[in-house]
């Protein structure tokens, strides 16, 4: 799960001020990459990690300084040495991490809440933050054209990345414009997973996918199954038969879909409705031979994952949920999912 979802939740619920720490550059290897966020509240509350645990005490100490003087700052953490003579940890991780510390106060909190609102509405947002002028606030623009924050976008053409970046991609890092350094970050809404079929094996998948950062919608034609009492971790429910629910979901290239109704005719109806849609992922539960029969050609198209999930020898609903969630993450991160 992207760290900024939990961090923005923490900012929204924080009783006072705090500091947002963001990794802006990594040289060598590191546990986390550019764009990773951490919240350090004035009350001592922390949300998120910038490392595997070796940096967090130092990050909190720097955050207290930033909060005291109300000025943003860049801080470098050298994890390349194995002794404790660099900055006191000797982690030996072979990486140099640069982090940006942004104070979040009553004046600036509304900007981060606006970012949270855009993400909840399913919008991709681009941020540009001057690193040369720490007193200049960040600039934000959503894919719908909404702009907020009092900073500036140094290059108008950078906003074209909102249109051109592949879903859930886009490079976070340093850029230069007219001799000035800027940090640019893509903020993506949570990927949406639609689970068609709310049988007894659906709740483990919904829980696993939600824990991995997906926003999960469950669709089924049976009221007793398509209900929070049966699938408590689902974010949304769409009840009805496939020909009724698919048009209402407004599916697109950012959506992940798993078909698991366990009813052949329902699955075939869903396949006919979904096969031509530009989905990020379409998986069908069950043996490949069964899935082949769902298609008029008698053969499963290559873009359909069947059986859904990575081949890990999974048995039972919970292990199958792990294998499917692993495949969803692999597709999200654009990793190879060839079966072994």
């Amino acid at each position: 799960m992207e760290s900024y979802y939990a961090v923005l939740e923490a900012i929204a619920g924080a009783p006072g001020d705090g500091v947002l720490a963001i990794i802006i550059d990594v040289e060598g290897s590191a546990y986390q990459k550019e764009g990773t966020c951490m919240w350090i509240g004035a009350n001592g509350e922390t949300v998120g990690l910038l490392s595997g645990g070796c940096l967090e005490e130092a990050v909190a100490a720097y955050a207290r300084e930033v909060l005291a003087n109300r000025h943003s700052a860049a801080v470098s953490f050298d994890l390349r040495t194995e002794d404790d003579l660099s900055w006191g940890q000797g982690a030996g991780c072979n990486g140099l991490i640069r982090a940006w510390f942004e104070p979040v106060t009553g004046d600036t909190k509304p900007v981060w809440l606006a970012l949270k609102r855009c993400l909840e509405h399913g919008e991709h947002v681009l941020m540009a933050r001057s690193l040369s002028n720490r007193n200049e606030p960040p600039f934000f623009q959503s894919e719908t054209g909404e702009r907020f924050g009092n900073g500036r976008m140094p290059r108008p053409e950078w906003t074209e990345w909102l249109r051109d970046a592949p879903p859930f991609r886009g490079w976070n890092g340093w850029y230069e414009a007219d001799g000035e350094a800027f940090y640019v970050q893509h903020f993506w809404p949570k990927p949406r997973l639609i689970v068609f079929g709310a049988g007894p094996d659906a709740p483990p998948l919904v829980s696993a996918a939600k824990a991995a950062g997906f926003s999960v919608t469950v669709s089924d034609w049976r009221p007793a199954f398509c209900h929070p009492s049966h699938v408590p971790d689902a974010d949304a429910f769409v009840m009805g038969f496939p020909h009724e629910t698919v048009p209402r979901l407004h599916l697109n290239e950012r959506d992940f879909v798993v078909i698991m109704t366990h009813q052949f005719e329902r699955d075939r109806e869903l396949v006919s409705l979904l096969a031509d849609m530009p989905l990020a992922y379409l998986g069908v539960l069950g043996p490949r031979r069964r899935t082949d029969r769902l298609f008029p050609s008698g053969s499963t198209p290559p873009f359909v994952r069947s059986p859904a999930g990575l081949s890990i020898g999974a048995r039972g609903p919970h292990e199958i949920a792990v294998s499917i969630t692993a495949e969803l993450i692999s597709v999200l991160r654009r990793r190879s999912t060839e079966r072994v």
Side-chain angles (χ1 to χ4, degrees), residues 245-265:
T245 59
V246 170
R248 284 156 52 192
L249 286 164
H250 304 290
L251 299 167
N252 60 57
E253 68 277 2
R254 296 182 192 171
D255 288 323
F256 295 69
V257 173
V258 174
I259 298 174
M260 51 189 303
T261 73
H262 297 286
Q263 294 196 14
F264 188 81
E265 289 304 322

Side-chain angles (χ1 to χ4, degrees), residues 29-30 50-62 75-99 101:
S29 63
L50 295 193
S51 70
C54 53
L55 283 182
E56 278 56 44
E57 288 186 20
V59 169
Y62 279 110
V75 180
S76 295
F77 300 95
D78 194 343
L79 306 177
R80 294 172 293 189
T81 60
E82 297 181 2
D83 55 44
D84 60 356
L85 299 179
S86 53
W87 54 271
Q89 292 295 328
C93 294
N94 261 350
L96 176 64
I97 297 174
R98 296 182 179 90
F101 289 73

Side-chain angles (χ1 to χ4, degrees), residues 171-191:
W171 190 70
N172 301 323
W174 292 47
Y175 291 84
E176 284 201 7
D178 301 322
E180 187 175 355
F182 286 83
Y183 173 69
V184 175
Q185 176 158 345
H186 293 260
F187 292 92
W188 292 94
K190 287 185 177 182

